[in-house]
Amino acid sequence: MHHFGKGFPHLTEISKEVGPNTGKTGLEANLDVQYIMSLGANISTTFWSTGGLHEGQEPFLEWLLDLSNTSLIPPVFSVSYGDHERTLSVEYMRRVNVEFQKIGVRGISVLFCQW
């Protein structure tokens, strides 16, 4: 926080943590939170973590179902990880796509980076 966003007041603590956060957010998630909190002046930030794996990949479906079953969720999500789609079943990917559509209909934005 000390390097970014010095020109305006901003919150310095995460407002809410959801999920099995063990305090070890990982380097990439930690960097995401720092950038987000430094660029959004006085915007509350929620850290949402989903544990476990599905077919050796990230548990996107579990996370999306958590969002669907939660009435008050943040309007924007920044996701720091991805999967190798070719290793997942077609049925699983279709279900994940439907769940992404559902949160989109709710007006929720999801940002991913591509590297």
Side-chain angles (χ1 to χ4, degrees), residues 1-110:
M1 286 294 199
H2 301 290
H3 299 291
F4 308 106
K6 290 182 180 179
F8 52 84
H10 57 275
L11 300 176
T12 58
E13 298 290 328
I14 293 173
S15 304
K16 183 178 179 182
E17 293 181 9
V18 178
N21 181 20
T22 62
K24 297 180 181 180
T25 59
L27 182 60
E28 191 169 346
N30 186 300
L31 183 59
D32 284 357
V33 169
Q34 288 184 53
Y35 270 114
I36 289 167
M37 291 182 72
S38 67
L39 295 173
N42 287 319
I43 302 296
S44 63
T45 301
T46 300
F47 181 81
W48 198 301
S49 141
T50 304
L53 293 174
H54 175 83
E55 297 180 14
Q57 300 291 334
E58 301 297 340
F60 278 107
L61 184 58
E62 183 179 341
W63 170 63
L64 291 164
L65 292 173
D66 285 346
L67 297 182
S68 291
N69 293 319
T70 305
S71 57
L72 295 174
I73 60 174
V76 179
F77 283 86
S78 173
V79 179
S80 301
Y81 52 84
D83 280 331
H84 301 287
E85 288 184 358
R86 67 183 173 273
T87 66
L88 298 168
S89 69
V90 172
E91 295 80 17
Y92 179 79
M93 288 189 296
R94 284 186 180 142
R95 177 67 192 274
V96 167
N97 287 339
V98 167
E99 295 303 323
F100 273 120
Q101 292 169 19
K102 288 179 183 178
I103 64 168
V105 168
R106 291 176 65 183
I108 306 302
S109 297
V110 182

